[in-house]
Amino acid sequence: MPANKAKRALQVAQAIVSDIQLNAREAGDRLPQEEDMLARYEVARATLREALRFLELQGVIQLQLGRGGGPVVSRPQTRDFASSLSLILQFMDTDLRALLELREAIAPDMAARAAVRATNADLAALDDCYAQLERDRETAAFEETNRRFHDLLGWASGNPTFGLLTSALHLLTRDLAVELGYSAQERANQLRCLARVLNAVRLRDADGARRHMERLVKGSSEYLAARSPELVSQKVRWGDPG
Amino acid sequence: MPANKAKRALQVAQAIVSDIQLNAREAGDRLPQEEDMLARYEVARATLREALRFLELQGVIQLQLGRGGGPVVSRPQTRDFASSLSLILQFMDTDLRALLELREAIAPDMAARAAVRATNADLAALDDCYAQLERDRETAAFEETNRRFHDLLGWASGNPTFGLLTSALHLLTRDLAVELGYSAQERANQLRCLARVLNAVRLRDADGARRHMERLVKGSSEYLAARSPELVSQKVRWGDPG
DNA sequence: ATCGATTAATGCTTATACGTTTTTATGGCT
DNA sequence: AGCCATAAAAACGTATAAGCATTAATCGAT
C-alpha cells in the first residue's frame, strides 16, 4: 500500500487515537509514557514525538513537562476546529457575508432540534444566559453573552455538528466584528426574538422555535449588512487561535 | 516559556502562510527546502517539520519526496478539511444521523442561494451532471454521481462554506454508507426531486429550489433511517480520508 | 529518439547526547 | 521534631549527525 506506507508518524498518530477510543480514555487520563510507547509502536523517539506533537496541535492530547508528566488525553476543542476552518476559508477568499449566510441556514433548524431535545439542564442554562443577557443589554458584554446563548442552544440541539459549527462561526466572526456593536434598538429587537425562541423551546414547539430563530438571524444579517457593508465584505483570515 | 514554545510551530506555520500570500505563490510553486527554512525561521528541525506536517494535513502544502522534491504550494482541498472535521466529530461521538440532520439544515438554503447566483457555467455543469445521473440510474455509479450533483450545487451557491460543508459531508458519509445503495424506487424519487430543484434554479426561483430541496433531503434521510437504523447510528471515525 | 540504468537531491527515520522542568528525597539547621 | 534549602531522579525537550528510502534528473546504449 503506497498510501499507507508513507508518513510513519501519522500512522502512529492514528494508532494512538484508536487506542484512546478502544480503551475509552477520558479527558485527563494519562497515556503511557514515551518509553513504553517506543516499545509498543516500534519507532524511533523522534518519530513518536512528531506524532505526539501533531496530536497536540490537533487538540487530542496535551503534553505535560517534568517528572510525572507525559501525554494526557484532552478533547479536541472547537478552537482547534475553528482554526482549520478559517485556514481553508482564507484560501477560498471567504468573507463575513458567507459566514452570516451559513448561520442563517443552520440556526433555524438548530433551534427546532433544540426544542425537541433540550434537557432540563440545557433549559436551565439557557434561562440563566438569557437573564444575564438582559442585564448586559447596555454593556459591552452584550455581544459575548449573546454568542454564548447561541452556543448553548447549539449544544442543546443534541447534534454536535450544530454546536460545533455555531461555536466555530462565533470564533471566526469575533475577530472580524469586534469593533462594531449592535445599536440599542437592535439589541432590544434581538432580545425580543430570543425570548420568543426560548419560550418556544421550553414549550417543545419546534416549528415556533424555527420561525422565530429564522427571523432573528435574518434580521441580524440585514442589520450588519446595512450598517457596515465593508464589514461584511471582510475576508476571513487565519489568525492565532490560541 | 513552555506555553509559548508549544505554539512555536504554529507561528512558523503562519509565517509560511503569510509568505505564500505575500509572494502570491500559486499552487505548484516550490517553497524553499528544509535547510533554507531552518535558517530563515531559526527553529529546530523538529519544530519546522511539525509546522510543515500541520500545513500538509491542512492541504496548504504538499511534501514531495525525492530529488527536486520539497514543500510545494498546494490548495487546501475539501479532503483536508474533512479530515479535521472527522477527527473532532469522532471525539464527540457523532453518528451518521447527525450528519444527515446537518445536510437537511443547509441543503435547502444552499439551493436557494444557487438559484440566485448560479452562473451559466454552473448551470451547464449541473445539466450535464443531471443527464449523467439519469444514465446512471441503474448502475452502481448512481450514488457517486448523485453526490457530485450536490457538490456542484454547493459550489454554485456562491458561498464557499456551502460547497465546503457539502463536499465534506459526502466524504464522511461515503465511507460509512458505501455498502448500502438506494432502491430503484428511491432513486426514481430522488431524480424527480432533483429535476424540480434544477428547474427552479434555472428559473431563478429561490423559493421553489428551497422547497424541493427540503423535500428531497428530508425524504432521503427518512429512507435511510427506515431502511437501516443501525447504519445511521454508526459513528464517525477519523483516518479514512487521507 | 526511446527506454533503461545510474546518479544525485531530498525528505524520512534512527541513534545518541545533552539540556530543562518538575517532583521527590535528603539533610542539615533551628 | 519541624522546616527550608539543596541535590538527585524522572520525565520530557532540544540538538546534531548519520544512514535509509524515494524520486527526479541525467546519461548512455540500442
Side-chain angles (χ1 to χ4, degrees):
Chain A
M1 303 179 195
N4 238 350
K5 176 71 177 168
K7 321 301 181 195
R8 190 72 193 280
L10 280 183
Q11 285 182 343
V12 176
Q14 285 193 348
I16 294 174
V17 170
S18 295
D19 176 73
I20 291 176
Q21 294 264 313
L22 277 174
N23 297 56
R25 313 259 195 189
E26 297 284 324
D29 287 3
R30 291 182 45 189
L31 290 174
Q33 62 196 52
E34 283 193 4
E35 205 171 323
D36 297 334
M37 284 191 173
L38 288 181
R40 175 162 191 175
Y41 299 113
E42 294 181 332
V43 292
R45 189 151 170 247
T47 304
L48 175 64
R49 293 221 71 253
E50 190 172 337
L52 290 175
R53 295 184 66 173
F54 175 79
L55 290 177
E56 189 187 21
L57 272 189
Q58 302 294 330
V60 177
I61 63 172
Q62 270 183 313
L63 292 177
Q64 283 181 0
L65 193 58
R67 175 168 176 168
V72 174
V73 178
S74 182
R75 293 199 53 151
Q77 298 298 322
T78 308
R79 191 177 303 107
D80 307 303
F81 171 73
S83 175
S84 297
L85 182 60
S86 72
L87 179 58
I88 191 169
L89 288 184
Q90 170 178 350
F91 276 87
M92 290 178 172
D93 266 346
T94 309
D95 55 16
L96 181 53
R97 188 191 328 271
L99 301 184
L100 292 174
E101 283 181 7
L102 180 60
R103 197 176 70 133
E104 285 180 54
I106 68 176
D109 261 53
M110 178 179 89
R113 303 283 179 186
V116 176
R117 299 193 189 133
T119 67
N120 286 335
D122 291 330
L123 284 172
L126 285 168
D127 281 337
D128 282 354
C129 190
Y130 181 78
Q132 181 68 45
L133 196 56
E134 283 201 318
R135 285 196 295 276
D136 289 342
R137 68 187 305 160
E138 294 184 0
T139 77
F142 180 85
E143 269 77 20
E144 194 57 34
T145 308
N146 193 7
R147 280 195 270 266
R148 193 159 62 84
F149 186 92
H150 283 88
D151 279 5
L152 284 174
L153 199 62
W155 297 111
S157 72
N159 185 331
T161 65
F162 285 136
L164 182 62
L165 276 177
T166 303
S167 298
L169 286 180
H170 285 160
L171 286 175
L172 295 196
T173 53
R174 175 183 294 153
D175 303 322
L176 296 179
V178 66
E179 73 277 4
L180 185 64
Y182 292 117
S183 68
Q185 187 184 354
E186 177 64 17
R187 286 187 179 187
N189 181 35
Q190 294 204 6
L191 271 173
R192 259 197 313 277
C193 289
L194 274 186
R196 292 200 189 103
V197 170
L198 180 54
N199 202 43
V201 170
R202 207 184 284 112
L203 297 174
R204 306 296 182 187
D205 173 14
D207 226 51
R210 175 185 283 114
R211 265 186 299 114
H212 290 123
M213 179 58 90
E214 185 178 346
R215 198 180 160 76
L216 168 62
V217 291
K218 200 163 279 185
S220 168
S221 293
E222 283 169 4
Y223 172 82
L224 288 175
R227 165 130 180 210
S228 176
E230 67 271 11
L231 174 71
V232 296
S233 297
Q234 275 194 6
K235 297 291 200 297
V236 173
R237 262 187 24 206
W238 182 47
D240 197 316
Chain B
M1 291 182 202
N4 232 348
K5 205 77 171 187
K7 292 188 297 189
R8 187 67 176 279
L10 277 181
Q11 290 178 356
V12 175
Q14 275 192 310
I16 295 173
V17 170
S18 295
D19 177 72
I20 291 175
Q21 298 251 315
L22 277 173
N23 297 54
R25 314 256 196 191
E26 298 285 325
D29 288 3
R30 289 183 44 190
L31 290 173
Q33 64 195 51
E34 276 196 0
E35 291 291 327
D36 298 335
M37 283 192 174
L38 285 180
R40 173 163 190 176
Y41 298 113
E42 292 179 334
V43 294
R45 192 185 183 93
T47 304
L48 176 64
R49 282 174 55 83
E50 189 179 343
L52 292 175
R53 206 31 85 64
F54 176 78
L55 290 177
E56 186 189 25
L57 187 94
Q58 303 295 331
V60 176
I61 62 173
Q62 262 182 313
L63 292 177
Q64 281 182 359
L65 202 54
R67 173 168 179 171
V72 175
V73 178
S74 181
R75 289 204 47 162
Q77 299 297 325
T78 308
R79 190 178 304 105
D80 311 301
F81 171 73
S83 176
S84 295
L85 181 61
S86 73
L87 177 61
I88 190 168
L89 288 184
Q90 170 177 352
F91 276 88
M92 290 178 172
D93 264 346
T94 308
D95 55 15
L96 181 53
R97 189 192 326 271
L99 301 184
L100 292 174
E101 283 181 8
L102 181 60
R103 196 176 70 135
E104 285 180 53
I106 67 176
D109 260 54
M110 179 180 89
R113 304 283 180 187
V116 177
R117 299 193 189 134
T119 65
N120 285 336
D122 291 330
L123 283 173
L126 285 168
D127 281 337
D128 281 354
C129 190
Y130 180 79
Q132 181 67 44
L133 196 57
E134 283 202 318
R135 284 195 296 276
D136 290 342
R137 68 186 306 159
E138 294 183 359
T139 78
F142 180 85
E143 270 77 21
E144 194 56 34
T145 309
N146 192 8
R147 289 196 195 94
R148 193 158 64 85
F149 186 91
H150 283 89
D151 279 5
L152 285 174
L153 199 62
W155 297 111
S157 71
N159 184 331
T161 64
F162 286 136
L164 183 62
L165 278 177
T166 302
S167 298
L169 287 179
H170 284 161
L171 286 175
L172 295 194
T173 53
R174 173 185 295 155
D175 304 317
L176 297 179
V178 68
E179 72 277 5
L180 186 64
Y182 293 116
S183 67
Q185 187 185 354
E186 176 65 16
R187 287 187 178 187
N189 181 36
Q190 294 204 6
L191 272 173
R192 262 198 311 277
C193 289
L194 274 186
R196 293 200 188 105
V197 170
L198 180 54
N199 202 43
V201 169
R202 209 184 281 113
L203 297 174
R204 306 299 183 187
D205 173 14
D207 225 50
R210 175 185 284 112
R211 265 185 300 113
H212 289 124
M213 179 57 91
E214 185 179 345
R215 197 180 161 75
L216 169 62
V217 291
K218 200 163 278 185
S220 169
S221 294
E222 283 169 5
Y223 171 83
L224 289 175
R227 165 127 180 212
S228 176
E230 66 272 11
L231 175 72
V232 296
S233 298
Q234 275 193 6
K235 298 290 199 297
V236 173
R237 266 186 20 207
W238 179 54
D240 310 309

